[in-house]
Every structure is written in structure tokens, then in C-alpha cells.
């Protein structure tokens, strides 16, 4: 946010690749263990073992939610950047939180029989509390950062 849209998008891309990559490796490791004991291919085990499939589903849900919500957050922040100091971080965080929570919990848990809607509501509430608690410290942090290091508004 201090350095502009381009660097923010690069950080999101690296975070996305790292997070999805590690979770996918974990899912494949679980599937490999299952495939050895059940005489299945790793791909068969990945989709037939509940633990491996849950890890894969978590990777897809988390990656999709993170990428979509963070790119939306960056766009909203950039559009509101020149308005009153609190509008850009509050609006971008709020909308990003809505999208992140909706995508992650629906992709990860819909159809599982688990109480995912109440979990999603709790997760969203926690995110909003964090926005409220960290909004003013964000302003202080930005004010302390030297202007010469910031990129122009893109």
C-alpha cells in the first residue's frame, strides 16, 4: 500500500504461490502415504482419502479466497487512496474480508455437514474486529514512513 499497486500485486502473487504450493505438497504427501498402504496411485489416493482430499480442498479454497480477496483489496484501496485517510483501508479491508470469508468457507466446507456458516460468521467478525483495532495504528505507521520511499499513486 505504501509502494503502489504493482508491488502489492507481486506480494500477493508470491503469497498465493507459496501458500497453495505448500498446502498442495502436504496433500500429496498424505496421498503418497495412503497410496503405499492401499495400493492406489497418488492421484487415486488424493481423491479417495478423506484427509488428502480435505487438504487439497483447503488448498483450493485458501488460494482462491486469498488471491481474489487480496486483488480486490488492492483495487478498492487504490481507488479510494486519495479520500479521507480511513476510507481506503477500512473499505478495502471490509470488502476483502467479505470475499475471503465467503470463498474460503464455501469452497472448503460446503456439503461436508460441518457448521461452516457459523464458523464463517465468527471468522468474519474476528476480521472486522481486527480492522477496527488496527485502523489507527495503520495510520500512525504510514505517517512514520518516509515519503521518499513511497511510489507515486498508480
Amino acid at each position: 500500500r505504501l509502494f503502489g499497486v504493482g508491488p502489492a500485486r507481486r506480494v500477493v502473487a508470491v503469497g498465493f504461490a507459496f501458500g497453495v504450493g505448500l498446502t498442495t505438497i502436504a496433500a500429496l504427501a498424505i496421498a503418497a502415504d495412503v497410496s503405499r498402504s492401499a495400493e492406489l496411485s497418488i492421484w487415486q489416493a488424493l481423491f479417495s482419502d478423506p484427509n488428502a482430499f480435505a487438504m487439497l480442498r483447503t488448498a483450493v479454497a485458501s488460494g482462491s479466497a486469498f488471491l481474489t480477496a487480496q486483488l480486490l483489496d488492492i483495487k478498492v484501496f487504490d481507488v479510494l487512496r486519495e479520500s479521507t485517510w480511513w476510507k481506503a483501508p477500512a473499505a478495502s479491508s471490509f470488502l476483502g474480508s467479505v470475499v475471503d470469508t465467503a470463498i474460503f468457507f464455501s469452497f472448503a466446507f460446503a456439503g461436508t455437514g460441518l457448521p461452516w456458516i457459523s464458523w464463517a460468521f465468527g471468522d468474519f467478525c474476528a476480521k472486522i474486529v481486527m480492522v477496527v483495532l488496527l485502523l489507527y495504528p495503520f495510520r500512525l505507521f504510514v505517517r512514520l514512513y518516509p515519503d521518499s520511499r513511497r511510489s507515486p499513486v498508480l
Side-chain angles (χ1 to χ4, degrees):
R1 292 176 180 178
L2 289 173
F3 301 108
V5 173
R9 286 184 181 148
R10 285 190 288 280
V11 168
V12 167
V14 169
F16 171 77
F18 188 71
V20 171
L22 286 178
T23 311
T24 303
I25 288 169
L28 290 172
I30 294 168
D33 285 343
V34 170
S35 72
R36 282 191 285 275
S37 63
E39 297 183 17
L40 297 170
S41 73
I42 289 177
W43 298 111
Q44 289 171 323
L46 184 62
F47 292 101
S48 65
D49 179 70
N51 293 328
F53 187 68
M55 187 64 73
L56 178 63
R57 192 171 169 167
T58 300
V60 171
S62 181
S64 301
F66 176 80
L67 187 63
T68 305
Q70 290 301 308
L71 292 176
L72 175 65
D73 186 313
I74 291 166
K75 180 64 176 171
V76 170
F77 190 96
D78 191 51
V79 167
L80 298 175
R81 179 184 297 270
E82 297 301 321
S83 62
T84 308
W85 75 267
W86 58 270
K87 288 182 181 177
S92 66
S93 294
F94 178 81
L95 290 174
S97 295
V98 167
V99 169
D100 181 75
T101 300
I103 291 174
F104 175 76
F105 282 92
S106 62
F107 281 21
F109 299 112
T112 64
L114 296 169
W116 66 274
I117 293 175
S118 61
W119 295 347
F121 181 73
D123 177 76
F124 178 72
C125 288
K127 289 174 182 172
I128 297 309
V129 167
M130 295 306 294
V131 169
V132 170
L133 291 176
L134 295 175
L135 189 59
Y136 194 71
F138 171 79
R139 182 178 191 202
L140 294 176
F141 175 76
V142 170
R143 288 177 121 191
L144 293 172
Y145 206 81
D147 285 339
S148 63
R149 296 284 315 264
R150 297 182 201 175
S151 72
V153 176
L154 301 175

